[in-house]
Amino acid sequence: MKVWVIGLGGVTNGGKTTLAEKLKKVLPNCDIISQDDFFKPESEVETDERGFKLYDVLDALYMDEMVKSIHNWIKSPTSSGAGTEEPQNTCDNLKNTEDVYILIVEGFLLYNYEPLNELWNRRYFLTLPYEECKRRRSTRVYQPADTPGYFDGHVWPMYLKYKNELEENASNVVYLDGTKSQEELLSFVYSDTMQELKKLREGNQQVTA
């Protein structure tokens, strides 16, 4: 049994959660862990001098709990319920993938936390231009709600900061254009994943040959 851990990171409102859910439906033995599930309660999130709640930083998250959850899944993917649903795509690509368990970890701050970096088999990063990101963000309802100036004063600067860190320090990141349709993004990541799993299988066959 093999495991394959995919990181699906990037900009707020870039389509990470939607893409992860679509991938889960077409990939074999697939589970999702969402970083949003590890936010600290509002009372534990710092407030800056402008009154902005600092949600877009690592300190706003229980990152150690998130890492533990991923490790637990890697140790025992079959106990998670992965593979209980048949993938919708039953083409030949899925043959010989029954022994591979896939975890998609989706979130906005995946690649700037050292304990996570050793876990990825494949890393994707969704991007959006400023205007489109701001437009999408304005259509979403958050709890707590975005205060006036929050996007420009905190959300976007933090995205640029972490993206710059990623570009300076990380290699083998596949950048995805979040303005493309969900169908295009799904098609690309699905095909890329199946190619990577094929390489994984072939590598294992050579080792055991």
Side-chain angles (χ1 to χ4, degrees):
M1 185 178 70
K2 297 175 284 290
V3 297
W4 188 258
V5 182
I6 296 170
L8 192 55
V11 68
T12 178
N13 293 274
K16 300 179 293 295
T17 305
T18 305
L19 181 56
E21 292 289 352
K22 286 178 180 288
L23 284 165
K24 184 181 179 185
K25 289 177 180 174
V26 295
L27 290 171
N29 307 330
C30 187
D31 269 323
I32 298 171
I33 288 177
S34 175
Q35 191 173 36
D36 283 0
D37 292 338
F38 297 90
F39 269 115
K40 294 176 180 177
E42 187 181 354
S43 60
E44 292 182 37
V45 176
E46 285 187 47
T47 304
D48 72 4
E49 68 280 357
R50 299 164 296 179
F52 292 156
K53 281 282 182 183
L54 303 180
Y55 274 104
D56 287 57
V57 297
L58 287 167
D59 282 345
L61 297 143
Y62 292 120
M63 291 302 295
D64 53 343
E65 292 296 319
M66 183 176 172
V67 172
K68 197 188 297 181
S69 293
I70 296 170
H71 276 295
N72 287 342
W73 184 93
I74 289 170
K75 277 187 219 159
S76 185
T78 54
S79 67
S80 64
T84 53
E85 292 180 43
E86 283 295 309
Q88 291 176 0
N89 190 336
T90 54
C91 67
D92 289 344
N93 281 343
L94 294 180
K95 285 181 181 173
N96 304 317
T97 58
E98 292 87 357
D99 60 339
V100 180
Y101 284 78
I102 299 169
L103 178 66
I104 300 171
V105 183
E106 65 94 5
F108 69 108
L109 268 184
L110 298 183
Y111 310 135
N112 306 80
Y113 188 67
E114 197 57 43
L116 281 178
N117 286 338
E118 63 196 40
L119 302 178
W120 311 117
N121 294 108
R122 197 70 165 155
R123 295 192 285 184
Y124 302 97
F125 190 92
L126 278 150
T127 64
L128 280 177
Y130 166 82
E131 290 294 348
E132 176 61 14
C133 184
K134 190 172 185 178
R135 184 194 68 76
R136 292 188 190 184
R137 179 94 181 188
S138 69
T139 66
R140 291 269 293 275
V141 177
Y142 287 90
Q143 191 59 44
D146 283 358
T147 52
Y150 188 69
F151 181 84
D152 289 314
H154 176 60
V155 175
W156 189 253
M158 286 298 101
Y159 163 67
L160 293 180
K161 174 181 181 287
Y162 287 116
K163 182 169 176 279
N164 288 338
E165 283 180 15
L166 176 66
E167 289 167 346
E168 285 173 16
N169 302 319
S171 57
N172 301 319
V173 176
V174 180
Y175 290 89
L176 303 173
D177 180 355
T179 64
K180 290 189 173 175
S181 71
Q182 279 291 332
E183 288 68 28
E184 284 180 275
L185 293 169
L186 175 64
S187 175
F188 175 83
V189 177
Y190 173 80
S191 298
D192 189 57
T193 301
M194 297 315 291
Q195 276 185 320
E196 291 297 312
L197 293 181
K198 186 181 176 193
K199 284 188 216 165
L200 179 70
R201 268 200 321 277
E202 288 168 353
N204 283 339
Q205 284 167 359
Q206 286 171 2
V207 167
T208 56

